[in-house]
Amino acid sequence: MADKNQLTTASGMPVDNDQQTLTAGPRGPALMQDVHLMEKLAHFNRERIPERVVHAKGAGAYGVFECTADMSKYTRAEFLSQAGKKTEVFARFSTVGGEKGSADAARDPRGFAVKFYTEAGNYDMTGNNTPVFFIRDPLKFPDFIHTQKRNPATNAPDPDMFWDFLSLTPESIHQVTVLFSDRGTPKDYRHMNGYSSHTFKWYNVNGEVFWVQYHFKTLQGVETLTRQEATRLAGEDPNHATTDLHTAIEEGEFPAWRVCVQIMPEKEAKTYRWNIFDITKVWPHKDYPLIEIGRMTLNRNPANYFAEVEQSAFSPGNFVPGIGPSPDKMLQARIISYHDAHLYRLGPNYQLLPVNAPKACKAANYQRDGYMRLDDNGGSQPNYWPNSMGGPEPDPGMAEPPIALEGPAARHPQEVTEDDFFQPGELYRRVMNDTDREHLVGNIVTHLCNAQKRLQLRQTALFFKADPDYGRRVAEGLGLDTKDVQRLAAMSQEERVKATSA
Ligand code: NDP
């Protein structure tokens, strides 16, 4: 048997030589019977798995979530039931649109995904560093992402595609405003907040339902890059945020976030000003203040990037008792599509990989077989339910309280209204300071100037609708006539599209 440091083939046979191919004579040819060479090359050819179609470039780390307040009044989730209770986590941060080799400093939302390894199963919070999103109907998602990728003919990013889609999708204006503020280029992964963006359902042991939104507030402080700094970093150090996270943890400077929620009793959703299942909206803090529930600290780097970060798989469908989905259409689609993406990338048994498997409890079910079944596959236990052989049993006590659904089954229009422009307007007018506004306008102008003029006009009209000063300054930066922009802003979206058609 090979000793500890013996190089072996994958089947464990000791390898005698890893430098010289087996050949007939010193000048070759190579012999097919060199099984070590054949195996080494064949495995090398299969090293790459499909890249994530979004969130391809990322970095991750392990850590701990410490609950700081007993939340059992609102949720039966055990990991939130007691101040001081600790739960292991794995977090992955990422850019969204770029490929695996793209720059960390890109202007893009940042993925902010956290897997809580709880005793009641793994709970995944798959958020972003922005509280809202570009679209609110999942049917638009693949098209939206295509516009952020490469032009099918030139294979280069295309400002026309980018701004054409966004200006035809006015509900994107809130997220576009966040994206083009300096928060669209966070300094690194440690200096940014995370948001669930979606509304989720919490329910307690009495079956009472609450709607919640999560906020992870960085304890390092929010820090951002200017577009000039981001452009420089993208060239000089495209992995700057990946390296920063790793180095900080290696040096014992553990990044931490204060974890908060906004909580709304179930019945208030019906009469609240905003549709809380619309991901393009936030819940203003003055209506629903942040309530602290814990602290997340990242304190351990993965030992192997591929095994633990590339193969980490998060799903908004990974709930635990006490937490469930809301009717948000985007969330409903993500529940299906994240799991589906992992089945494609990693195979049907991806949840058996160590980074994805439960750590604080054991998964027990009747799923069997499939590619790369890594465990004992249920051994000799029964593989069907119901059985009277002592197999795992469903627990009716874990049922979610029902929520009432109503309405005709149809493709319901969710028209863009003036409401869609109010919150981005508030962000511009009330939250941003003069420097933020100056950077926002500069960041937009530098990008939008590369699109066709008719697209510049159509998009700038949307900025104008959010706030006239915002639209006027973008128009001036682009050298557009503000009167043209104002005229377009006064039109319906349909008229505006007609007036700016090619
Ligand atoms: P508040 O003044 O209570 O909160 C403003 C929020 O905006 C803070 O959370 C702040 O985060 C955040 N913020 C500051 N600068 C930016 C920026 N450039 N891009 C994105 N967010 C920023 O106001 P409201 O709750 O009434 O919200 C007003 C507007 O603020 C909203 O329309 C929305 O655009 C934005 N916002 C609201 C959030 C919410 O959940 N209510 C969350 C994030 C943004 P920090 O404390 O970390 O500085």
Side-chain angles (χ1 to χ4, degrees):
M1 205 161 103
D3 72 23
K4 216 165 102 206
N5 286 321
Q6 171 73 55
L7 179 69
T8 75
T9 62
S11 63
M13 180 182 75
V15 170
D16 65 312
N17 182 326
D18 197 32
Q19 295 287 292
Q20 274 89 37
T21 294
L22 197 61
T23 54
R27 294 187 176 190
L31 298 180
M32 278 183 75
Q33 72 184 53
D34 188 346
V35 290
H36 176 52
L37 173 73
M38 298 299 165
E39 178 185 276
K40 193 170 175 179
L41 294 181
H43 194 276
F44 177 70
N45 286 345
R46 290 162 179 78
E47 277 182 5
R48 294 290 169 270
I49 60 172
E51 183 174 288
R52 288 171 167 88
V53 69
V54 284
H55 297 279
K57 176 79 185 293
Y62 296 93
V64 65
F65 168 79
E66 180 172 357
C67 178
T68 51
D70 174 357
M71 286 286 122
S72 44
K73 191 172 148 199
Y74 304 106
T75 173
R76 67 186 296 180
E78 278 178 49
F79 77 108
L80 299 172
S81 64
Q82 199 188 326
K85 191 168 171 57
K86 291 186 176 161
T87 302
E88 188 179 351
V89 298
F90 180 75
R92 181 175 183 269
F93 309 116
S94 52
T95 51
V96 180
E99 295 96 353
K100 212 168 162 310
S102 58
D104 289 346
R107 178 170 307 287
D108 209 1
R110 300 294 186 268
F112 194 112
V114 183
K115 192 180 285 294
F116 297 79
Y117 299 99
T118 90
E119 299 110 309
N122 291 349
Y123 173 54
D124 291 355
M125 203 296 302
T126 50
N128 279 333
N129 72 326
T130 62
V132 289
F133 198 63
F134 298 91
I135 51 172
R136 54 188 167 221
D137 192 306
L139 209 45
K140 300 185 182 188
F141 187 77
D143 302 282
F144 164 64
I145 293 299
H146 287 169
T147 70
Q148 313 292 296
K149 299 268 186 188
R150 294 167 185 272
N151 177 299
T154 64
N155 200 36
D158 183 339
D160 285 342
M161 283 164 55
F162 186 94
W163 290 109
D164 190 26
F165 182 88
L166 292 175
S167 62
L168 291 170
T169 312
E171 66 268 32
S172 63
I173 188 71
H174 197 178
Q175 176 77 323
V176 167
T177 302
V178 177
L179 178 67
F180 279 86
S181 77
D182 284 345
R183 290 210 178 189
T185 48
K187 183 180 174 200
D188 48 53
Y189 294 135
R190 290 184 298 138
H191 293 88
M192 64 183 198
N193 294 335
Y195 304 89
S196 62
S197 311
H198 296 292
T199 294
F200 286 94
K201 178 168 82 174
W202 272 10
Y203 53 94
N204 63 21
V205 277
N206 302 321
E208 290 169 297
V209 168
F210 302 86
W211 302 117
V212 299
Q213 293 239 344
Y214 297 82
H215 299 251
F216 289 64
K217 303 284 256 184
T218 172
L219 289 169
Q220 292 67 244
V222 170
E223 288 187 37
T224 56
L225 303 170
T226 62
R227 68 176 174 282
Q228 294 84 354
E229 287 166 339
T231 304
R232 183 181 57 74
L233 262 178
E236 287 180 0
D237 185 3
N239 304 307
H240 85 277
T242 306
T243 310
D244 172 82
L245 181 68
H246 192 272
T247 309
I249 293 174
E250 223 44 34
E251 290 175 354
E253 262 184 63
F254 301 142
W257 285 260
R258 198 163 74 89
V259 185
C260 303
V261 284
Q262 289 176 290
I263 304 182
M264 180 185 295
E266 184 186 13
K267 63 178 184 322
E268 288 179 25
K270 281 209 172 75
T271 50
Y272 189 50
R273 169 172 183 186
W274 308 106
N275 170 10
I276 62 159
F277 309 124
D278 172 357
I279 195 173
T280 68
K281 304 289 183 299
V282 297
W283 307 1
H285 290 136
K286 73 169 169 9
D287 294 348
Y288 293 97
L290 297 187
I291 299 169
E292 183 180 304
I293 61 169
R295 172 187 285 237
M296 177 176 86
T297 308
L298 300 181
N299 55 22
R300 181 162 65 89
N301 278 317
N304 184 280
Y305 182 86
F306 181 87
E308 294 160 273
V309 186
E310 190 62 10
Q311 295 197 115
S312 65
F314 299 82
S315 169
N318 283 349
F319 293 114
V320 290
I323 307 178
S326 75
D328 178 341
K329 300 169 194 184
M330 290 289 291
L331 172 61
Q332 294 279 330
R334 289 179 74 205
I335 286 171
I336 308 289
S337 71
Y338 276 58
H339 177 61
D340 184 52
H342 305 320
L343 294 175
Y344 167 64
R345 291 185 69 236
L346 301 165
N349 289 310
Y350 76 89
Q351 292 181 100
L352 298 177
L353 294 167
V355 67
N356 300 326
K359 288 186 194 295
C361 64
K362 207 171 162 332
N365 53 51
Y366 297 95
Q367 291 162 23
R368 296 288 187 274
D369 308 349
Y371 288 116
M372 307 308 288
R373 183 80 204 204
L374 302 171
D375 61 356
D376 69 351
N377 194 30
S380 58
Q381 292 297 302
N383 59 359
Y384 59 91
W385 175 260
N387 69 69
S388 53
M389 309 288 176
E393 296 177 25
D395 177 357
M398 289 296 158
E400 265 187 50
I403 56 163
L405 300 174
E406 59 191 28
R411 296 191 184 275
H412 296 279
Q414 217 177 39
E415 275 148 14
V416 173
T417 68
E418 291 307 311
D419 262 0
D420 289 306
F421 297 94
F422 180 78
Q423 291 195 350
E426 281 291 277
L427 178 59
Y428 179 83
R429 282 183 295 272
R430 193 166 60 71
V431 178
M432 290 186 179
N433 61 28
D434 285 344
T435 310
D436 294 335
R437 281 188 283 265
E438 189 193 316
H439 287 197
L440 170 72
V441 170
N443 294 341
I444 291 170
V445 168
T446 315
H447 196 294
L448 185 51
C449 70
N450 299 310
Q452 295 172 18
K453 187 168 174 205
R454 67 190 180 90
L455 304 180
Q456 294 180 16
L457 282 162
R458 196 198 288 155
Q459 181 64 39
T460 307
L462 301 181
F463 296 130
F464 193 93
K465 283 177 73 64
D467 185 280
D469 179 66
Y470 183 10
R472 186 183 50 72
R473 287 173 67 177
V474 173
E476 279 170 13
L478 291 167
L480 302 175
D481 187 336
T482 309
K483 287 206 194 68
D484 289 341
V485 170
Q486 194 168 359
R487 198 169 42 79
L488 284 168
M491 294 177 181
S492 70
Q493 175 68 4
E494 209 180 5
E495 291 166 340
R496 194 161 39 243
V497 172
K498 218 164 154 195
T500 52
S501 59

